[in-house]
Amino acid sequence: MIGRMMRNSVKNSKKQSTLAKTARTDGSLTLVATPIGNASDISLRALDTLRTADLIFCEDTRQTQKLLMMHGITGKKLVAAHAHNESHAASKILAEVEAGKQVAYASDAGLPLISDPGETIMQVMIDAGASVTSIPGANAALTALQLSGLPPLPFYFAGFLPPKTKARCDALKLLEKIPATLIFYEAPHRLSETLGDMLHVLGDRKAATARELTKMHEEIQRGTLATLFADAEKQERIRGECVILVAPYSPETEQHDDADETDALLLQALKTLSPRDAAFDVAAKTGQQRRALYQRILELKK
Ligand code: SAM
Protein backbone atom coordinates (compact mmCIF):
# COMPACT_ATOMS: atom_id res chain seq x y z
CA MET A 1 0.00 0.00 0.00
CA ILE A 2 2.76 2.41 1.07
CA GLY A 3 4.77 1.34 -1.99
CA ARG A 4 1.80 2.12 -4.26
CA MET A 5 1.37 5.54 -2.60
CA MET A 6 5.05 6.29 -3.10
CA ARG A 7 4.91 5.21 -6.76
CA ASN A 8 1.84 7.47 -7.22
CA SER A 9 3.56 10.31 -5.47
CA VAL A 10 6.64 9.95 -7.73
CA LYS A 11 4.30 9.81 -10.77
CA ASN A 12 2.45 12.93 -9.50
CA SER A 13 5.61 14.87 -8.85
CA LYS A 14 6.84 13.96 -12.36
CA LYS A 15 3.48 15.19 -13.72
CA GLN A 16 3.83 18.40 -11.64
CA SER A 17 7.32 19.09 -12.83
CA THR A 18 6.17 18.60 -16.46
CA LEU A 19 3.33 21.04 -15.71
CA ALA A 20 5.75 23.49 -14.12
CA LYS A 21 7.96 23.25 -17.20
CA THR A 22 4.96 23.80 -19.46
CA ALA A 23 3.95 26.83 -17.38
CA ARG A 24 7.45 28.27 -17.78
CA THR A 25 7.74 27.73 -21.51
CA ASP A 26 4.14 28.53 -22.50
CA GLY A 27 3.19 32.11 -23.05
CA SER A 28 1.24 33.90 -20.36
CA LEU A 29 -0.04 37.28 -19.29
CA THR A 30 0.80 38.73 -15.87
CA LEU A 31 -1.16 41.68 -14.46
CA VAL A 32 1.34 43.76 -12.50
CA ALA A 33 0.36 46.08 -9.63
CA THR A 34 2.26 49.38 -9.65
CA PRO A 35 2.59 52.11 -6.96
CA ILE A 36 -0.25 54.59 -6.25
CA GLY A 37 2.14 57.38 -5.28
CA ASN A 38 5.27 56.18 -3.56
CA ALA A 39 7.56 54.63 -6.18
CA SER A 40 8.94 52.14 -3.66
CA ASP A 41 5.56 50.44 -3.27
CA ILE A 42 6.23 47.75 -5.84
CA SER A 43 6.99 44.11 -5.06
CA LEU A 44 10.19 42.28 -5.90
CA ARG A 45 8.13 39.83 -7.95
CA ALA A 46 6.50 42.70 -9.89
CA LEU A 47 9.95 44.13 -10.72
CA ASP A 48 11.22 40.71 -11.68
CA THR A 49 8.25 40.15 -13.97
CA LEU A 50 8.72 43.54 -15.66
CA ARG A 51 12.45 42.88 -16.01
CA THR A 52 12.02 39.47 -17.64
CA ALA A 53 8.85 40.07 -19.71
CA ASP A 54 9.23 39.75 -23.49
CA LEU A 55 6.76 42.58 -23.86
CA ILE A 56 5.09 45.09 -21.53
CA PHE A 57 1.65 46.41 -22.42
CA CYS A 58 0.69 49.45 -20.37
CA GLU A 59 -1.91 52.18 -20.01
CA ASP A 60 0.60 54.97 -20.67
CA THR A 61 4.03 54.07 -22.01
CA ARG A 62 5.64 57.26 -20.62
CA GLN A 63 4.36 56.57 -17.10
CA THR A 64 5.54 52.94 -17.14
CA GLN A 65 8.86 53.92 -18.71
CA LYS A 66 9.39 56.34 -15.80
CA LEU A 67 8.70 53.54 -13.30
CA LEU A 68 11.07 51.16 -15.09
CA MET A 69 13.83 53.77 -15.15
CA MET A 70 13.42 54.40 -11.41
CA HIS A 71 14.05 50.71 -10.81
CA GLY A 72 16.91 50.42 -13.29
CA ILE A 73 15.00 48.36 -15.86
CA THR A 74 16.02 49.34 -19.37
CA GLY A 75 15.61 48.19 -22.96
CA LYS A 76 12.05 46.91 -22.63
CA LYS A 77 9.51 47.03 -25.43
CA LEU A 78 6.42 48.95 -24.24
CA VAL A 79 3.08 48.90 -26.07
CA ALA A 80 0.11 51.13 -25.22
CA ALA A 81 -3.10 49.41 -24.07
CA HIS A 82 -5.54 51.99 -22.72
CA ALA A 83 -9.29 52.57 -22.50
CA HIS A 84 -9.48 53.76 -26.14
CA ASN A 85 -7.73 50.83 -27.81
CA GLU A 86 -8.29 48.03 -25.31
CA SER A 87 -10.10 45.57 -27.63
CA HIS A 88 -7.40 45.89 -30.26
CA ALA A 89 -4.65 45.64 -27.63
CA ALA A 90 -6.35 42.57 -26.12
CA SER A 91 -6.13 40.74 -29.48
CA LYS A 92 -2.46 41.72 -29.76
CA ILE A 93 -1.74 40.46 -26.23
CA LEU A 94 -3.49 37.16 -26.95
CA ALA A 95 -1.52 36.70 -30.18
CA GLU A 96 1.75 37.27 -28.29
CA VAL A 97 0.77 34.86 -25.50
CA GLU A 98 -0.28 32.22 -28.04
CA ALA A 99 3.11 32.68 -29.71
CA GLY A 100 4.72 31.66 -26.38
CA LYS A 101 5.65 35.15 -25.09
CA GLN A 102 5.71 36.28 -21.47
CA VAL A 103 3.60 39.45 -21.46
CA ALA A 104 3.13 41.88 -18.56
CA TYR A 105 0.31 44.41 -18.25
CA ALA A 106 0.45 47.46 -15.97
CA SER A 107 -1.95 50.38 -15.61
CA ASP A 108 -0.73 53.84 -14.51
CA ALA A 109 -1.24 53.21 -10.80
CA GLY A 110 -2.36 50.41 -8.52
CA LEU A 111 -4.21 47.35 -9.72
CA PRO A 112 -5.16 46.98 -13.38
CA LEU A 113 -8.97 46.60 -13.84
CA ILE A 114 -9.76 48.43 -10.60
CA SER A 115 -11.17 51.66 -12.10
CA ASP A 116 -8.47 51.14 -14.71
CA PRO A 117 -8.24 49.37 -18.09
CA GLY A 118 -7.82 45.60 -18.19
CA GLU A 119 -11.33 44.14 -18.09
CA THR A 120 -11.55 43.53 -21.85
CA ILE A 121 -8.01 42.15 -21.92
CA MET A 122 -8.91 39.68 -19.16
CA GLN A 123 -12.15 38.66 -20.86
CA VAL A 124 -10.35 37.94 -24.14
CA MET A 125 -7.68 35.90 -22.34
CA ILE A 126 -10.23 33.91 -20.31
CA ASP A 127 -12.42 33.24 -23.37
CA ALA A 128 -9.38 31.92 -25.24
CA GLY A 129 -8.32 29.74 -22.29
CA ALA A 130 -4.96 31.55 -22.15
CA SER A 131 -2.79 31.54 -19.05
CA VAL A 132 -3.13 34.65 -16.83
CA THR A 133 -1.89 35.52 -13.38
CA SER A 134 -1.70 38.64 -11.21
CA ILE A 135 0.96 40.13 -8.98
CA PRO A 136 -0.81 41.94 -6.14
CA GLY A 137 0.18 45.29 -4.71
CA ALA A 138 -0.92 48.84 -3.92
CA ASN A 139 -4.58 49.81 -4.21
CA ALA A 140 -6.10 53.15 -3.19
CA ALA A 141 -9.52 51.83 -2.08
CA LEU A 142 -8.21 49.28 0.40
CA THR A 143 -5.45 51.54 1.73
CA ALA A 144 -8.08 54.25 2.36
CA LEU A 145 -10.41 51.71 4.01
CA GLN A 146 -7.66 50.67 6.42
CA LEU A 147 -7.09 54.28 7.46
CA SER A 148 -10.70 55.52 7.44
CA GLY A 149 -11.78 54.39 10.91
CA LEU A 150 -14.99 53.04 9.33
CA PRO A 151 -16.05 49.37 9.55
CA PRO A 152 -13.73 47.46 7.22
CA LEU A 153 -16.23 44.69 6.50
CA PRO A 154 -18.41 44.42 4.64
CA PHE A 155 -17.43 47.11 2.16
CA TYR A 156 -18.82 48.05 -1.22
CA PHE A 157 -16.41 49.50 -3.76
CA ALA A 158 -18.29 51.71 -6.22
CA GLY A 159 -15.33 53.30 -8.06
CA PHE A 160 -16.07 56.61 -9.82
CA LEU A 161 -19.58 58.07 -9.73
CA PRO A 162 -20.97 59.77 -12.86
CA PRO A 163 -19.61 63.32 -13.27
CA LYS A 164 -23.03 65.04 -13.68
CA THR A 165 -25.16 65.79 -10.60
CA LYS A 166 -28.42 64.13 -11.75
CA ALA A 167 -26.74 60.88 -12.80
CA ARG A 168 -24.55 60.95 -9.69
CA CYS A 169 -27.56 61.33 -7.36
CA ASP A 170 -29.38 58.53 -9.22
CA ALA A 171 -26.34 56.28 -8.78
CA LEU A 172 -26.10 57.16 -5.08
CA LYS A 173 -29.81 56.43 -4.59
CA LEU A 174 -29.15 52.84 -5.70
CA LEU A 175 -26.43 52.51 -3.03
CA GLU A 176 -28.37 54.25 -0.26
CA LYS A 177 -29.50 51.18 1.68
CA ILE A 178 -26.44 48.97 1.35
CA PRO A 179 -25.33 47.99 4.87
CA ALA A 180 -21.63 48.23 4.02
CA THR A 181 -18.93 50.90 4.08
CA LEU A 182 -19.14 52.57 0.67
CA ILE A 183 -15.89 53.40 -1.13
CA PHE A 184 -15.66 55.84 -4.05
CA TYR A 185 -12.89 57.28 -6.18
CA GLU A 186 -13.12 60.98 -7.02
CA ALA A 187 -11.15 63.65 -8.82
CA PRO A 188 -10.10 66.55 -6.55
CA HIS A 189 -12.02 69.20 -8.54
CA ARG A 190 -15.30 67.33 -8.02
CA LEU A 191 -14.78 66.42 -4.34
CA SER A 192 -16.98 69.12 -2.86
CA GLU A 193 -19.96 68.68 -5.22
CA THR A 194 -19.84 64.90 -4.79
CA LEU A 195 -19.77 65.22 -0.98
CA GLY A 196 -22.74 67.62 -1.24
CA ASP A 197 -24.71 65.10 -3.31
CA MET A 198 -23.78 62.30 -0.89
CA LEU A 199 -25.04 64.37 2.03
CA HIS A 200 -28.23 65.07 0.13
CA VAL A 201 -28.91 61.45 -0.91
CA LEU A 202 -27.32 59.34 1.85
CA GLY A 203 -27.91 61.63 4.85
CA ASP A 204 -25.30 62.86 7.30
CA ARG A 205 -23.36 59.66 7.94
CA LYS A 206 -19.86 59.22 9.32
CA ALA A 207 -17.41 59.52 6.46
CA ALA A 208 -13.75 59.97 5.58
CA THR A 209 -11.66 61.27 2.72
CA ALA A 210 -8.17 59.97 1.95
CA ARG A 211 -5.93 62.14 -0.21
CA GLU A 212 -2.46 61.64 -1.62
CA LEU A 213 -2.13 58.15 -0.10
CA THR A 214 1.45 56.90 0.25
CA LYS A 215 2.76 60.36 -0.76
CA MET A 216 4.44 63.07 1.30
CA HIS A 217 1.21 65.02 1.87
CA GLU A 218 -1.00 62.03 2.66
CA GLU A 219 -4.08 63.30 4.49
CA ILE A 220 -7.02 61.43 6.03
CA GLN A 221 -10.02 63.47 7.14
CA ARG A 222 -12.57 61.78 9.35
CA GLY A 223 -15.92 63.31 10.21
CA THR A 224 -19.42 63.24 8.77
CA LEU A 225 -20.57 64.02 5.26
CA ALA A 226 -21.75 67.47 6.47
CA THR A 227 -18.42 68.40 8.11
CA LEU A 228 -16.35 67.05 5.21
CA PHE A 229 -18.55 68.88 2.73
CA ALA A 230 -18.34 72.15 4.69
CA ASP A 231 -14.57 71.72 4.82
CA ALA A 232 -14.19 70.99 1.12
CA GLU A 233 -16.36 74.02 0.33
CA LYS A 234 -13.99 76.26 2.29
CA GLN A 235 -10.95 75.19 0.31
CA GLU A 236 -10.14 77.18 -2.79
CA ARG A 237 -8.45 74.35 -4.60
CA ILE A 238 -8.27 70.75 -3.48
CA ARG A 239 -5.16 68.99 -4.66
CA GLY A 240 -4.39 65.34 -5.02
CA GLU A 241 -6.24 62.20 -5.86
CA CYS A 242 -8.93 61.26 -3.43
CA VAL A 243 -10.95 58.36 -2.02
CA ILE A 244 -14.28 59.00 -0.27
CA LEU A 245 -15.60 56.50 2.27
CA VAL A 246 -19.09 56.56 3.77
CA ALA A 247 -20.37 54.61 6.79
CA PRO A 248 -22.84 51.78 6.17
CA TYR A 249 -26.57 52.39 6.00
CA SER A 250 -28.40 51.72 9.21
CA PRO A 251 -32.07 52.35 10.04
CA GLU A 252 -31.00 54.91 12.70
CA THR A 253 -29.27 57.12 10.11
CA GLU A 254 -32.57 57.21 8.24
CA GLN A 255 -34.30 58.88 11.21
CA HIS A 256 -32.13 61.95 10.69
CA ASP A 257 -33.17 62.38 7.10
CA ASP A 258 -35.12 65.61 7.59
CA ALA A 259 -32.26 67.29 9.44
CA ASP A 260 -29.79 66.10 6.79
CA GLU A 261 -32.01 67.41 4.02
CA THR A 262 -32.08 70.83 5.70
CA ASP A 263 -28.30 70.83 6.16
CA ALA A 264 -27.83 69.89 2.52
CA LEU A 265 -30.13 72.75 1.43
CA LEU A 266 -28.33 75.22 3.70
CA LEU A 267 -24.89 74.17 2.46
CA GLN A 268 -26.08 74.35 -1.12
CA ALA A 269 -27.53 77.85 -0.57
CA LEU A 270 -24.32 79.01 1.13
CA LYS A 271 -22.43 78.36 -2.07
CA THR A 272 -23.96 81.50 -3.60
CA LEU A 273 -25.65 83.39 -0.73
CA SER A 274 -24.61 85.08 2.49
CA PRO A 275 -25.58 83.21 5.72
CA ARG A 276 -28.52 85.59 6.24
CA ASP A 277 -29.86 85.14 2.71
CA ALA A 278 -29.26 81.40 2.83
CA ALA A 279 -31.41 81.19 5.99
CA PHE A 280 -34.15 83.22 4.22
CA ASP A 281 -33.92 81.04 1.12
CA VAL A 282 -34.20 77.73 2.98
CA ALA A 283 -36.93 79.09 5.27
CA ALA A 284 -38.96 79.91 2.16
CA LYS A 285 -38.37 76.45 0.72
CA THR A 286 -39.05 74.40 3.86
CA GLY A 287 -41.33 76.55 6.01
CA GLN A 288 -38.84 76.32 8.89
CA GLN A 289 -38.00 79.26 11.14
CA ARG A 290 -35.39 81.59 9.68
CA ARG A 291 -33.78 82.23 13.08
CA ALA A 292 -33.32 78.48 13.75
CA LEU A 293 -31.87 78.02 10.29
CA TYR A 294 -29.42 80.87 10.86
CA GLN A 295 -28.30 79.23 14.13
CA ARG A 296 -27.78 75.97 12.25
CA ILE A 297 -25.64 77.78 9.67
CA LEU A 298 -23.43 79.09 12.47
CA GLU A 299 -23.08 75.53 13.83
CA LEU A 300 -22.24 74.16 10.40
CA LYS A 301 -19.65 76.87 9.88
CA LYS A 302 -17.94 75.84 13.12
N1 SAM B 1 -6.09 51.20 -10.16
C1 SAM B 1 -6.02 52.13 -9.09
C2 SAM B 1 -6.11 51.38 -7.76
O1 SAM B 1 -5.90 50.16 -7.73
O2 SAM B 1 -6.37 52.01 -6.73
C3 SAM B 1 -7.05 53.22 -9.24
C4 SAM B 1 -6.87 54.02 -10.49
S1 SAM B 1 -8.14 55.20 -10.74
C5 SAM B 1 -7.88 55.67 -12.42
C6 SAM B 1 -7.49 56.64 -9.98
C7 SAM B 1 -8.29 57.03 -8.72
O3 SAM B 1 -7.86 56.22 -7.63
C8 SAM B 1 -8.05 58.46 -8.29
O4 SAM B 1 -8.91 59.37 -8.93
C9 SAM B 1 -8.32 58.39 -6.81
O5 SAM B 1 -9.70 58.40 -6.56
C10 SAM B 1 -7.77 56.99 -6.46
N2 SAM B 1 -6.34 57.09 -6.11
C11 SAM B 1 -5.29 56.63 -6.82
N3 SAM B 1 -4.14 56.90 -6.18
C12 SAM B 1 -4.48 57.54 -5.03
C13 SAM B 1 -3.75 58.09 -3.94
N4 SAM B 1 -2.42 58.04 -3.91
N5 SAM B 1 -4.43 58.69 -2.93
C14 SAM B 1 -5.76 58.75 -2.95
N6 SAM B 1 -6.52 58.26 -3.95
C15 SAM B 1 -5.89 57.67 -4.98
Side-chain angles (χ1 to χ4, degrees):
M1 172 79 167
I2 290 179
R4 200 167 63 216
M5 277 170 68
M6 283 185 66
R7 272 198 302 282
N8 281 345
S9 128
V10 170
K11 240 197 255 164
N12 280 343
S13 74
K14 269 192 190 153
K15 208 197 266 170
Q16 271 168 13
S17 73
T18 321
L19 276 178
K21 265 192 209 142
T22 319
R24 271 201 305 275
T25 51
D26 278 0
S28 73
L29 169 67
T30 305
L31 304 174
V32 178
T34 56
I36 56 168
N38 188 320
S40 301
D41 291 338
I42 185 158
S43 74
L44 296 176
R45 199 153 75 93
L47 289 175
D48 210 40
T49 300
L50 293 171
R51 196 174 288 117
T52 55
D54 296 309
L55 212 61
I56 301 172
F57 281 75
C58 49
E59 188 180 359
D60 179 342
T61 51
R62 280 167 309 176
Q63 184 81 8
T64 304
Q65 189 63 59
K66 224 161 67 184
L67 181 72
L68 295 181
M69 297 275 284
M70 270 181 211
H71 294 283
I73 302 172
T74 52
K76 303 307 298 187
K77 183 169 177 201
L78 301 185
V79 186
H82 42 69
H84 306 293
N85 75 345
E86 199 179 328
S87 297
H88 182 63
S91 318
K92 285 212 283 199
I93 293 174
L94 181 61
E96 296 291 350
V97 168
E98 285 180 341
K101 298 277 171 51
Q102 298 304 321
V103 178
Y105 180 69
S107 59
D108 283 354
L111 304 178
L113 275 87
I114 307 304
S115 296
D116 262 347
E119 185 180 348
T120 306
I121 294 171
M122 272 304 289
Q123 213 48 63
V124 166
M125 299 296 290
I126 291 167
D127 289 350
S131 161
V132 194
T133 188
S134 166
I135 298 184
N139 166 253
L142 293 182
T143 308
L145 181 62
Q146 288 176 311
L147 299 174
S148 67
L150 297 173
L153 286 176
F155 68 84
Y156 182 99
F157 174 62
F160 287 101
L161 287 164
K164 298 235 167 88
T165 296
K166 164 85 174 68
R168 185 161 54 222
C169 288
D170 290 348
L172 284 168
K173 196 87 195 127
L174 297 176
L175 308 177
E176 187 190 359
K177 299 220 162 147
I178 296 179
T181 295
L182 306 176
I183 310 178
F184 304 90
Y185 283 166
E186 192 49 285
H189 65 276
R190 267 199 290 270
L191 180 66
S192 121
E193 46 182 295
T194 296
L195 287 169
D197 288 346
M198 286 176 170
L199 177 61
H200 176 62
V201 177
L202 305 175
D204 193 16
R205 302 187 194 175
K206 273 182 148 188
T209 55
R211 287 193 320 108
E212 305 260 62
L213 288 165
T214 76
K215 301 185 197 176
M216 194 183 329
H217 300 293
E218 176 174 290
E219 181 189 87
I220 316 296
Q221 283 193 296
R222 303 177 188 90
T224 69
L225 282 171
T227 61
L228 294 175
F229 173 57
D231 219 63
E233 281 287 275
K234 273 189 229 145
Q235 293 181 39
E236 240 172 52
R237 187 168 159 225
I238 296 167
R239 282 170 215 272
E241 305 188 88
C242 194
V243 183
I244 305 173
L245 305 100
V246 183
Y249 166 83
S250 80
E252 295 93 76
T253 47
E254 207 167 25
Q255 287 167 12
H256 301 301
D257 268 357
D258 284 349
D260 298 337
E261 185 76 17
T262 305
D263 284 355
L265 286 170
L266 287 172
L267 291 164
Q268 193 64 32
L270 283 168
K271 281 186 185 175
T272 49
L273 301 173
S274 68
R276 187 174 161 277
D277 290 345
F280 263 112
D281 180 65
V282 177
K285 281 181 183 148
T286 63
Q288 295 180 55
Q289 282 201 336
R290 183 177 48 79
R291 194 184 291 269
L293 291 170
Y294 188 76
Q295 278 307 319
R296 181 65 189 147
I297 288 176
L298 297 183
E299 282 167 27
L300 287 173
K301 277 190 168 284
K302 265 189 225 152

